């Protein structure tokens, strides 16, 4: 059986001999322009999303208690009710838009609210765009929870682990029904 190095050499030899290496990737100016336009559109969408989340968070200070960003989903106080009602409305809008985990975006909204009042958290020197621990827990545990739910058969230990992961996500304000399709 030939090694991968031998296969590559054979392929390259064939391409050079047939002079077709030039036909592998030679996009036209039209294709290059289309790709560049779509690349720019993705960048613009990311900017708009970040701006929208930030402006939404700041606007919530006009209608919710000043510490709305600290309200957890388990809070049953009267002050928490309007915050939780807004969170439900927000997540419903994202679900209708096809977002797979609106609780993560609500966490970002709360983080923007916190940053607006308390200032942005300082980043470690040398760290680039480090996720908050809260966001990291939600994202990573959500991935594990979904993976466990997709498995057809789990050992007793694995089933117990998924139960604990579900409890942790619930404690962090994640709606488990939004994770299971």
């Amino acid at each position: 059986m030939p090694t991968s190095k031998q296969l590559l050499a054979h392929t390259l030899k064939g391409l050079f001999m047939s002079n077709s290496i030039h036909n592998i990737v030679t996009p036209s100016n039209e294709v290059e322009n289309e790709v560049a336009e779509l690349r720019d559109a993705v960048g613009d969408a990311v900017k708009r999303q970040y701006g929208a989340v930030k402006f939404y968070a700041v606007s919530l200070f006009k209608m919710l208690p000043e510490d709305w960003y600290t309200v957890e989903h388990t809070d049953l106080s009267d002050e928490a009710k309007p915050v939780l009602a807004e969170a439900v409305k927000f997540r419903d809008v994202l679900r209708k838009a096809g977002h797979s985990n609106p609780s993560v975006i609500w966490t970002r909204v709360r983080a923007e609210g916190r940053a607006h009042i308390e200032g942005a958290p300082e980043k470690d020197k040398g760290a680039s765009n480090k996720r908050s621990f809260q966001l990291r827990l939600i994202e990573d545990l959500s991935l594990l929870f979904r993976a466990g739910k997709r498995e057809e058969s789990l050992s007793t230990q694995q089933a117990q682990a998924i139960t604990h992961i579900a409890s942790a996500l619930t404690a962090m304000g994640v709606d488990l029904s939004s994770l299971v399709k």
Side-chain angles (χ1 to χ4, degrees), residues 89-162:
K89 291 176 193 174
F90 180 77
R91 288 192 296 266
D92 286 346
V93 166
L94 291 181
R95 276 190 200 99
K96 287 177 186 171
H99 196 283
S100 62
N101 192 356
S103 294
V104 171
I105 305 300
W106 179 250
T107 299
R108 289 182 191 151
V109 170
R110 290 177 59 205
E112 285 296 333
R114 180 179 312 282
H116 179 71
I117 293 297
E118 299 174 4
E122 292 185 24
K123 294 189 175 190
D124 295 337
K125 291 181 181 177
S128 61
N129 208 9
K130 190 174 181 181
R131 293 185 296 174
S132 70
F133 186 61
Q134 175 84 3
L135 181 58
R136 183 175 178 193
L137 281 171
I138 289 172
E139 289 176 346
D140 293 350
L141 290 173
S142 295
L143 287 172
L144 290 170
F145 181 77
R146 281 192 206 108
K149 289 298 180 180
R150 282 192 301 266
E151 285 295 315
E152 291 183 15
S153 63
L154 295 173
S155 69
T156 304
Q157 290 174 326
Q158 291 168 337
Q160 288 174 344
I162 294 300

Side-chain angles (χ1 to χ4, degrees), residues 10-152:
H10 177 72
T11 304
L12 290 176
K13 180 180 175 188
L15 288 174
F16 284 121
M17 292 179 76
S18 67
N19 200 19
S20 63
I21 194 165
H22 299 290
N23 296 329
I24 292 177
V25 178
T26 53
S28 66
N29 285 340
E30 186 179 314
V31 171
E32 286 178 356
N33 290 340
E34 180 184 355
V35 169
E37 188 177 305
L38 293 171
R39 183 183 325 112
D40 291 343
V42 170
D44 289 342
V46 169
K47 281 187 223 173
R48 278 193 313 274
Q49 179 187 12
Y50 172 74
V53 167
K54 188 172 189 167
F55 292 131
Y56 173 65
V58 170
S59 73
L60 289 176
F61 285 99
K62 297 175 186 172
M63 73 175 225
L64 296 175
E66 67 181 39
D67 62 345
W68 65 266
Y69 56 89
T70 64
V71 173
E72 297 292 333
H73 77 285
T74 55
D75 191 342
L76 300 176
S77 69
D78 288 339
E79 286 183 4
K81 288 179 182 176
V83 177
L84 298 176
E86 181 61 27
V88 167
K89 291 176 193 174
F90 180 77
R91 288 192 296 266
D92 286 346
V93 166
L94 291 181
R95 276 190 200 99
K96 287 177 186 171
H99 196 283
S100 62
N101 192 356
S103 294
V104 171
I105 305 300
W106 179 250
T107 299
R108 289 182 191 151
V109 170
R110 290 177 59 205
E112 285 296 333
R114 180 179 312 282
H116 179 71
I117 293 297
E118 299 174 4
E122 292 185 24
K123 294 189 175 190
D124 295 337
K125 291 181 181 177
S128 61
N129 208 9
K130 190 174 181 181
R131 293 185 296 174
S132 70
F133 186 61
Q134 175 84 3
L135 181 58
R136 183 175 178 193
L137 281 171
I138 289 172
E139 289 176 346
D140 293 350
L141 290 173
S142 295
L143 287 172
L144 290 170
F145 181 77
R146 281 192 206 108
K149 289 298 180 180
R150 282 192 301 266
E151 285 295 315
E152 291 183 15

